[in-house]
């Protein structure tokens, strides 16, 4: 088994059907990256969430670390991009998935994002992306 470092698919490189499956998915992934910008595969998404959560929630979690508003904003946008990547992947990299800014506004419409992260970060992100309905509370996937 091998895992593609770009698209993140694990497949058997000695099985022709797996190689074809990877080739089709990889092509969709590349087209989606051209259309949406950076998309993170699974392992990178998990690293991002682990690294950015203590920054985004520093005040609420009382971590004892100080981060600038711009550091917290950058961490939050990167984490939203990780969730966006997962949502796009769940749509099989369809270009009809809502764009990043719209997706971010849908997440920011949830209490989890508008109230549970540090308030200064939430307000900055809401000012930047707005708030839109579309993703149910507690979820991160866009529904078709």
């Amino acid at each position: 088994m091998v895992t593609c470092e770009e698209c993140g698919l694990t497949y058997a490189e000695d099985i022709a059907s797996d190689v074809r499956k990877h080739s089709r998915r990889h092509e969709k992934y590349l087209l989606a990256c051209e259309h949406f910008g950076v998309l993170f595969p699974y392992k990178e998404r998990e690293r991002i969430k682990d690294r950015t959560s203590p920054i985004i929630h520093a005040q609420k979690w009382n971590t004892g670390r100080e981060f600038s508003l711009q550091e917290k904003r950058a961490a939050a946008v990167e984490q939203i991009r990780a969730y966006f990547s997962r949502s796009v992947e769940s749509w099989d990299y369809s270009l009809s998935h809502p764009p990043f800014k719209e997706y971010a506004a849908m997440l920011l419409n949830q209490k989890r994002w508008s109230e549970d992260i540090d308030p200064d970060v939430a307000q900055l992100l809401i000012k930047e992306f707005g708030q839109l309905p579309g993703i149910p509370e507690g979820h991160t996937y866009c529904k078709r």
Side-chain angles (χ1 to χ4, degrees), residues 113-127:
W113 285 92
S114 65
E115 296 177 9
D116 288 350
I117 64 174
D118 289 353
D120 54 347
V121 180
Q123 289 310 307
L124 184 66
L125 293 174
I126 290 168
K127 183 177 180 182

Side-chain angles (χ1 to χ4, degrees), residues 96-115:
S96 63
H97 187 284
F100 177 73
K101 287 184 177 185
E102 187 177 328
Y103 176 86
M106 286 187 250
L107 276 189
L108 292 166
N109 197 49
Q110 297 180 6
K111 287 184 180 184
R112 175 183 185 269
W113 285 92
S114 65
E115 296 177 9

Side-chain angles (χ1 to χ4, degrees), residues 17-87:
S17 62
D18 269 19
V19 172
R20 284 190 302 275
K21 178 181 175 183
H22 170 252
S23 180
R24 285 189 301 270
R25 177 187 158 114
H26 196 90
E27 184 63 27
K28 287 180 181 182
Y29 169 80
L30 293 176
L31 289 171
C33 286
E34 281 181 31
H35 184 76
F36 294 116
V38 175
L39 295 172
F40 302 115
Y42 172 77
K43 286 183 181 179
E44 184 61 20
R45 293 191 305 255
E46 293 306 306
R47 281 193 288 268
I48 288 168
K49 290 188 296 182
D50 286 345
R51 188 183 77 251
T52 58
S53 287
I55 299 169
I56 297 166
H57 300 284
Q59 266 180 275
K60 295 230 178 216
W61 291 0
N62 200 17
T63 64
R65 297 220 27 222
E66 293 290 327
F67 297 97
S68 71
L69 183 57
Q70 289 308 343
E71 288 173 310
K72 292 188 281 188
R73 181 221 166 263
V77 169
E78 189 176 18
Q79 189 172 105
I80 293 170
R81 173 70 63 180
Y83 284 116
F84 174 74
S85 298
R86 185 173 71 178
S87 185

